[in-house]
Amino acid sequence: MLAHSESAASIRLEHGSDRQYVAVDGGMSDNIRTALYDADYSCTIASRASSAPPALARVVGKHCESGDVIVKDEFLPSDLAAGDLLAVPSTGAYCRSMASQYNHVPRPPVVAIRDQTSRVLMRRETEDDLLALDVG
């Protein structure tokens, strides 16, 4: 999983007493495994190099639910900023099949990356996709 987006993730930082909270543009709708059975992930900044000292962070999604946690504890560069891209490797084989349209959030694309080249394997869902089954 690459920051839940074809482009740079929308990152918002909130500083707590012992960690920073990094909110990204994905969440439990595209990776429910942390909330369902306490899956444990790591992540790293993927869009640039940083020599800033590490800071303890929790990466959370955009659903405003207590279980909307992607990475529980990770040391990320303290200069992390909006627009940075986070990579979450090894999210599991069933991530896409377990994804949902929770809160009417379209599912993200599936993107393969090889030799610094990306290719969309499954396109991002659209609002039309969300409404396609509505008969009202």
Side-chain angles (χ1 to χ4, degrees):
M1 181 168 63
L2 188 59
H4 315 281
S5 175
E6 292 179 73
S7 60
S10 300
I11 293 177
R12 186 185 68 200
L13 300 172
E14 293 182 14
H15 298 279
S17 58
D18 62 342
R19 80 179 75 231
Q20 63 181 347
Y21 286 82
V22 179
V24 297
D25 63 349
M28 61 192 287
S29 59
D30 49 271
N31 188 349
I32 192 68
R33 297 176 78 228
T34 303
L36 273 183
Y37 45 83
D38 205 30
D40 193 24
Y41 296 110
S42 64
C43 68
T44 189
I45 187 169
S47 54
R48 63 182 173 85
S50 174
S51 59
L56 182 61
R58 176 162 290 167
V59 180
V60 298
K62 64 181 177 182
H63 295 290
C64 297
E65 301 283 355
S66 61
D68 194 13
V69 175
I70 298 162
V71 179
K72 292 177 262 185
D73 294 303
E74 184 65 76
F75 284 93
L76 293 171
S78 57
D79 65 348
L80 195 65
D84 283 339
L85 184 68
L86 293 180
V88 180
S90 303
T91 55
Y94 301 106
C95 210
R96 174 66 183 193
S97 63
M98 293 172 72
S100 70
Q101 297 166 338
Y102 182 78
N103 281 349
H104 269 132
V105 172
R107 287 177 281 210
V110 175
V111 180
I113 299 172
R114 182 178 185 178
D115 298 328
Q116 299 181 347
T117 301
S118 64
R119 183 173 61 134
V120 175
L121 301 177
M122 293 181 76
R123 70 170 172 79
R124 175 186 311 278
E125 286 183 338
T126 65
E127 287 184 24
D128 287 340
D129 294 327
L130 289 175
L131 301 174
L133 299 176
D134 287 356
V135 296

